[in-house]
Amino acid sequence: MLAQGFVSAAAIAASVLFVLSLGGLSNQEKAKRAVWYGIVGMAVAVLFTAFGPGIGNYWLMIPMVAIGSVVGWHVAKRVAMTEMPQLVAALHSFVGLAAVFVAWNADLERRRVLAAQAMGATAEQFSAFAALVATKAPDELTFLQLEVVFAIFIGAVTFTGSVIAFGKLAGKVDGKPHKLPGGHLLNAGAAALCLLLAVLYLNGAGFWTLLLLAALSFFIGWHLIMGIGGADMPVVVSMLNSYSGWAAAAIGFTLSNDLLIVTGALVGSSGAILSYIMCKAMNRNFVSVILGGFGGTQGPAAEIEGEQVAIDAAGVASALNNADSVVIVPGYGMAVAQAQNAVSELTRKLRAAGKQVRFAIHPVAGRLPGHMNVLLAEAKVPYDIVLEMDEINDDFPKTDVTIVIGSNDIVNPAAQEDPNSPITGMPVLEVWKSSVVFVCKRGQGTGYSGIENPLFYKENTRMFYGDARESIDSLLSLID
């Protein structure tokens, strides 16, 4: 058993490592080292917490940790990079559900301690957590009850919200927004009932209040995320990341675990900041998004004239061979087709031929922040030719060829041209200003978000239909 001093020192060390990890993830070249900071920090946190004072039941804890480690290793080895967004959403749900169970257990322990104290029991006769509860003053017990209410509410919302986000990202749930009759009033009504139940609980009502509170919160999480469309899923994943952090912090307060409080606050605040940044990048109102898309556009979308004109590999290769400057815009379609290595090889051949090749990355490309950057780094694409939207948008009028691989909303001119479009006002990559645009796409559908794209019908756009990896592979032998 480790002394409390060692545990406190380890908590400080782990907190520093977590801060270094978050800071390093903002830079592609430092990201791998940052991940290791996080891994070591978590290992230190788990080890010193498990062997800290007042901890027991190792006969149960060690097998559970071993099983969880094996399952986590197996999942991490099997999940492809394309499935990372839905894996992140699934992991968020675990944190939320854990918060609910810990909060329920904390209240049951509180009730047991109070009943035992009424019969003359002392703090020395209780388990570690129960003894902690037994030494609390009445106002501290009230604060514990507030922690329980918050943990259940935010944890339950995180759980069901993350499950629905997982379903939408994995294609198991329709990506279009769906609300029950009553829409936002249902969410508001459920939230009001949660507040009423919290007041009843704080005034001595039974455990049933916490069960109903969890049930209503589960509904809010489900209905909230069901009401958000596929175009906003990257923001939703980031937002749920923030929710899971606050749920973890609430557990930390309940368990009097300083490290859990710090870690949850780091995750919660960084997720909230990232969500805000992404909302700015999409010209979305942050409050509107977290309320399930409240305040969306009204009126019919503008009609699109023209037709989609197809082109074959020989035509695309001819344009690339004659081009001096090429911009590649990757999207989720590239991830699904696992075409990043073929794209990297195409980039190498074009650069070897003396052509300027760069990548344009929209802040919300893919279904997770930084998704495209990770895929390109995995395929050994040089960091210095991967540019953000603000760095490259002004260069499209001087670009000979732009290749769009599996992107839709982030290159959709309707964001600027159609005031009734669901993405109106969203900053987009202005690829249509290039001399010619080739769009690698499986078919003529509207894609994940269900929003029609006028880019596909413009005179300087040609549709390069087919699987993205096969399409890019077919170009490699035709590049001079």
Side-chain angles (χ1 to χ4, degrees):
M1 193 74 66
L2 297 172
Q4 183 59 47
F6 285 108
V7 176
S8 298
I12 295 172
S15 299
V16 171
L17 287 169
F18 291 149
V19 171
L20 291 173
S21 179
L22 282 174
L25 290 173
S26 63
N27 184 291
Q28 290 176 328
E29 296 181 359
K30 298 178 181 178
K32 284 188 177 180
R33 187 193 312 163
V35 170
W36 277 109
Y37 284 147
I39 292 172
V40 173
M42 185 56 67
V44 169
V46 171
L47 181 65
F48 279 81
T49 299
F51 292 98
I55 304 299
N57 293 326
Y58 292 107
W59 62 272
L60 181 62
M61 182 193 305
I62 292 175
M64 291 297 99
V65 171
I67 293 171
S69 300
V70 171
V71 171
W73 178 273
H74 180 68
V75 170
K77 294 289 287 185
R78 287 194 58 187
V79 171
M81 192 60 67
T82 54
E83 299 171 331
M84 198 57 64
Q86 46 263 49
L87 175 62
V88 170
L91 294 176
H92 291 163
S93 71
F94 295 158
V95 178
L97 193 58
V100 174
F101 285 145
V102 168
W104 277 344
N105 182 71
D107 186 70
L108 290 174
E109 285 287 282
R110 181 186 68 85
R111 294 174 185 276
R112 186 174 71 85
V113 166
L114 291 176
Q117 284 180 326
M119 298 177 65
T122 62
E124 291 75 16
Q125 298 174 266
F126 298 121
S127 65
F129 179 73
L132 179 65
V133 173
T135 59
K136 289 182 180 292
D139 58 333
E140 292 177 313
L141 285 176
T142 300
F143 190 74
L144 174 63
Q145 288 179 280
L146 288 171
E147 295 163 6
V148 166
V149 168
F150 181 78
I152 291 175
F153 178 78
I154 197 68
V157 169
T158 301
F159 173 68
T160 48
S162 297
V163 169
I164 297 302
F166 167 82
K168 290 196 173 190
L169 290 167
K172 300 180 184 299
V173 176
D174 188 358
K176 295 180 180 179
H178 296 283
K179 293 187 182 74
L180 295 176
H184 297 289
L185 290 177
L186 280 177
N187 293 337
L193 286 175
C194 286
L195 181 60
L196 175 61
L197 288 168
V199 172
L200 292 174
Y201 166 67
L202 292 172
N203 282 277
F207 187 74
W208 61 270
T209 54
L210 297 184
L211 294 176
L212 287 181
L213 176 65
L216 287 168
S217 302
F218 283 141
F219 168 78
I220 292 173
W222 171 80
H223 195 230
L224 201 64
I225 306 305
M226 283 296 294
I228 299 176
D232 288 326
M233 270 303 116
V235 181
V236 169
V237 173
S238 178
M239 178 185 70
L240 290 169
N241 177 59
S242 179
Y243 287 180
S244 69
W246 299 124
I251 297 174
F253 278 109
T254 303
L255 300 176
S256 295
N257 186 310
D258 295 337
L259 181 57
L260 202 52
I261 295 170
V262 171
T263 304
L266 284 172
V267 174
S269 56
S270 60
I273 292 169
L274 181 58
S275 299
Y276 176 74
I277 292 172
M278 294 176 67
C279 281
K280 286 188 66 177
M282 299 173 68
N283 195 37
R284 290 287 200 273
N285 181 283
F286 182 68
V287 176
S288 296
V289 172
I290 66 174
L291 290 179
F294 181 78
T297 56
Q298 303 292 325
E303 293 186 8
I304 300 176
E305 298 180 354
E307 61 179 351
Q308 297 184 19
V309 180
I311 194 170
D312 59 13
V316 176
S318 176
L320 288 173
N321 286 326
N322 293 324
D324 293 321
S325 60
V326 178
V327 172
I328 300 174
V329 180
Y332 191 68
M334 183 187 79
V336 170
Q338 299 185 25
Q340 60 268 28
N341 290 310
V343 170
S344 179
E345 178 62 18
L346 176 65
T347 301
R348 188 193 65 78
K349 294 195 71 171
L350 290 172
R351 297 183 78 194
K355 305 179 189 302
Q356 181 191 47
V357 182
R358 293 175 296 170
F359 287 79
I361 307 295
H362 192 280
V364 294
R367 296 186 185 173
L368 194 70
H371 197 182
M372 296 300 104
N373 302 75
V374 172
L375 288 177
L376 295 175
E378 181 187 41
K380 305 285 192 295
V381 172
Y383 296 138
D384 61 337
I385 65 171
V386 180
L387 305 178
E388 300 296 326
M389 177 177 64
D390 294 339
E391 299 176 295
I392 201 170
N393 233 4
D394 292 337
D395 293 347
F396 281 114
K398 299 173 286 186
T399 300
D400 297 322
V401 174
T402 294
I403 305 178
V404 178
I405 307 176
S407 295
N408 186 23
D409 299 334
I410 64 173
V411 294
N412 193 333
Q416 298 180 0
E417 300 169 357
D418 182 6
N420 289 326
S421 172
I423 61 171
T424 186
M426 171 180 165
V428 292
L429 291 163
E430 298 171 348
V431 299
W432 59 90
K433 294 182 179 180
S434 306
S435 297
V436 62
V437 182
F438 298 119
V439 178
C440 291
K441 199 168 179 288
R442 285 184 177 274
Q444 295 187 357
T446 55
Y448 177 71
S449 67
I451 301 173
E452 195 66 73
N453 193 338
L455 170 70
F456 305 156
Y457 300 84
K458 288 188 176 291
E459 293 183 0
N460 64 332
T461 297
R462 295 294 180 268
M463 306 301 294
F464 189 24
Y465 292 121
D467 176 82
R469 183 170 63 179
E470 295 175 359
S471 296
I472 301 301
D473 280 338
S474 67
L475 296 176
L476 295 177
S477 62
L478 302 175
I479 300 300
D480 296 337

